[in-house]
């Protein structure tokens, strides 16, 4: 975990792992919501739908529990 947090603090992690991962999460969530009849779309890290908007940020990405 110490090695992970050292890497976690680098710009390499932020630019090449975190940002693409969060965009993928938003895209997948929009696809799943569409399957269930909600008109949702993803614009970068922003998940938008009919009557809601959600911005996925660091901490909401489940990377830390996955590493643990």
């Amino acid at each position: 975990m110490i090695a992970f947090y050292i890497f976690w603090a680098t710009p390499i992690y932020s630019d090449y792992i975190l940002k693409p991962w969060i965009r993928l999460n938003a895209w997948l969530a929009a696809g799943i919501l569409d399957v269930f009849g909600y008109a949702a779309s993803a614009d970068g890290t922003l998940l938008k739908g009919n009557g809601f908007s959600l911005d996925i940020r660091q901490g909401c990405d489940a990377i830390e529990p996955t590493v643990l």
Side-chain angles (χ1 to χ4, degrees), residues 6-30:
I6 290 170
F7 180 61
W8 183 77
T10 66
I12 293 170
Y13 171 79
S14 175
D15 294 340
Y16 297 107
I17 296 175
L18 181 64
K19 289 177 185 175
W21 176 251
I22 291 175
R23 279 188 241 118
L24 176 65
N25 281 336
W27 181 77
L28 289 172

Side-chain angles (χ1 to χ4, degrees), residues 13-68:
Y13 171 79
S14 175
D15 294 340
Y16 297 107
I17 296 175
L18 181 64
K19 289 177 185 175
W21 176 251
I22 291 175
R23 279 188 241 118
L24 176 65
N25 281 336
W27 181 77
L28 289 172
I32 291 169
L33 288 170
D34 277 339
V35 167
F36 287 104
Y38 295 96
S41 65
D43 182 18
T45 62
L46 189 63
L47 178 62
K48 297 184 277 188
N50 198 7
F52 74 92
S53 178
L54 176 72
D55 192 12
I56 303 172
R57 299 278 182 159
Q58 186 174 7
C60 298
D61 52 25
I63 289 179
E64 291 173 82
T66 301
V67 171
L68 180 61

